[in-house]
């Protein structure tokens, strides 16, 4: 029922993803949400974000910031990380994700998406056929419409985690048969 909202991977933070391993697996482009994925909502890029983008460039990745925010917000963050970006992206529509891949010269097979919201970030990435990473929000202070979505996200994540536990149990049961 909620499968189109399920992330491929769930991590505590965008900063803990093993980007070297992704590169070895053939990933060449990373699309990032900004607010509450890389920095608190509305904050400029901090030292950690700047170092991450430097490191990604050293590894060989192309990056795009994909945000539903207006350009001044996205540009303020981007001035410090120097990535390509798309503002007013229309997430969860897949057009923004497709445009991001165009900008990076990547495909659905060579791109991943990293974001903190199921109903915009993950759902859009899934519709576009891109592997999705769901991060925990960096900061609890959010706009009211996002706070309301977080309540619904808890319901979806409950079923997602229940499904993961069933799959894990089946794998364990099958191992015991061997």
């Amino acid at each position: 029922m909620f499968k189109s909202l399920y992330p491929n991977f769930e991590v505590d933070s965008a900063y803990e993803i093993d980007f070297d391993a992704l590169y070895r697996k053939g990933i060449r482009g990373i699309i990032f949400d900004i607010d509450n994925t890389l920095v608190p909502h509305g904050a400029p890029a901090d030292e950690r974000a700047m170092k991450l983008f430097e490191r990604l460039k050293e590894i060989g990745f192309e990056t795009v910031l994909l945000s539903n925010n207006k350009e001044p917000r996205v540009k303020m963050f981007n001035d410090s990380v120097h990535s390509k970006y798309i503002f007013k992206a229309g997430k969860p529509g897949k057009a923004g994700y497709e445009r991001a891949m165009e900008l990076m010269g990547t495909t659905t097979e060579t791109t991943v998406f990293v974001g903190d919201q199921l109903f915009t970030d993950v759902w859009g990435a899934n519709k576009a056929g891109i592997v999705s990473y769901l991060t925990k929000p960096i900061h609890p202070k959010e706009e009211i419409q996002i706070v309301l979505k977080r309540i619904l996200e808890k319901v979806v994540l409950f079923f997602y985690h229940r499904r993961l536990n069933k799959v894990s149990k089946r794998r364990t049961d099958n191992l015991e048969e061997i």
Side-chain angles (χ1 to χ4, degrees):
M1 178 158 112
F2 296 122
K3 204 170 183 181
S4 63
L5 298 170
Y6 293 167
N8 296 102
F9 300 98
E10 195 175 15
V11 294
D12 286 338
S13 167
Y15 298 97
E16 74 173 29
I17 296 169
D18 187 345
F19 293 106
D20 290 305
L22 288 177
Y23 194 84
R24 286 191 302 274
K25 290 179 181 177
I27 300 300
R28 295 297 180 262
I30 305 168
I31 305 169
F32 285 100
D33 175 54
I34 301 170
D35 288 325
N36 255 346
T37 298
L38 296 168
V39 292
H41 186 79
D46 57 17
E47 190 67 29
R48 185 168 69 157
M50 290 184 274
K51 285 182 179 177
L52 173 63
F53 280 82
E54 283 174 27
R55 173 88 177 104
L56 294 173
K57 286 175 187 141
E58 287 171 9
I59 295 170
F61 283 109
E62 293 290 327
T63 60
V64 170
L65 302 171
L66 187 68
S67 177
N68 283 346
N69 276 302
K70 295 177 182 169
E71 187 172 24
R73 162 63 187 130
V74 180
K75 186 178 179 326
M76 174 188 58
F77 181 88
N78 190 55
D79 284 346
S80 298
V81 300
H82 311 289
S83 178
K84 296 173 180 94
Y85 66 87
I86 299 170
F87 60 95
K88 287 189 173 181
K91 294 183 287 181
K94 67 182 191 174
Y97 298 83
E98 290 169 345
R99 177 74 181 124
M101 288 185 286
E102 262 179 55
L103 290 173
M104 295 186 295
T106 60
T107 65
T108 56
E109 294 80 20
T110 61
T111 306
V112 298
F113 179 85
V114 181
D116 70 299
Q117 292 187 54
L118 289 178
F119 293 105
T120 51
D121 299 330
V122 171
W123 189 22
N126 290 346
K127 288 197 297 188
I130 300 169
V131 168
S132 57
Y133 280 80
L134 177 67
T135 67
K136 290 184 178 170
I138 287 178
H139 195 275
K141 184 177 184 263
E142 296 181 301
E143 296 172 341
I144 187 65
Q145 72 271 17
I146 296 171
V147 170
L148 296 174
K149 281 195 264 184
R150 295 286 185 207
I151 295 166
L152 297 173
E153 282 184 356
K154 286 180 183 177
V155 173
V156 175
L157 288 171
F158 169 82
F159 287 103
Y160 170 70
H161 293 134
R162 192 168 88 175
R163 180 175 175 265
L164 285 180
N165 288 335
K166 283 181 182 178
V167 169
S168 179
K169 182 175 177 359
R170 267 189 261 141
R171 285 185 183 148
T172 303
D173 290 346
N174 290 340
L175 287 175
E176 290 170 2
E177 294 172 8
I178 296 174

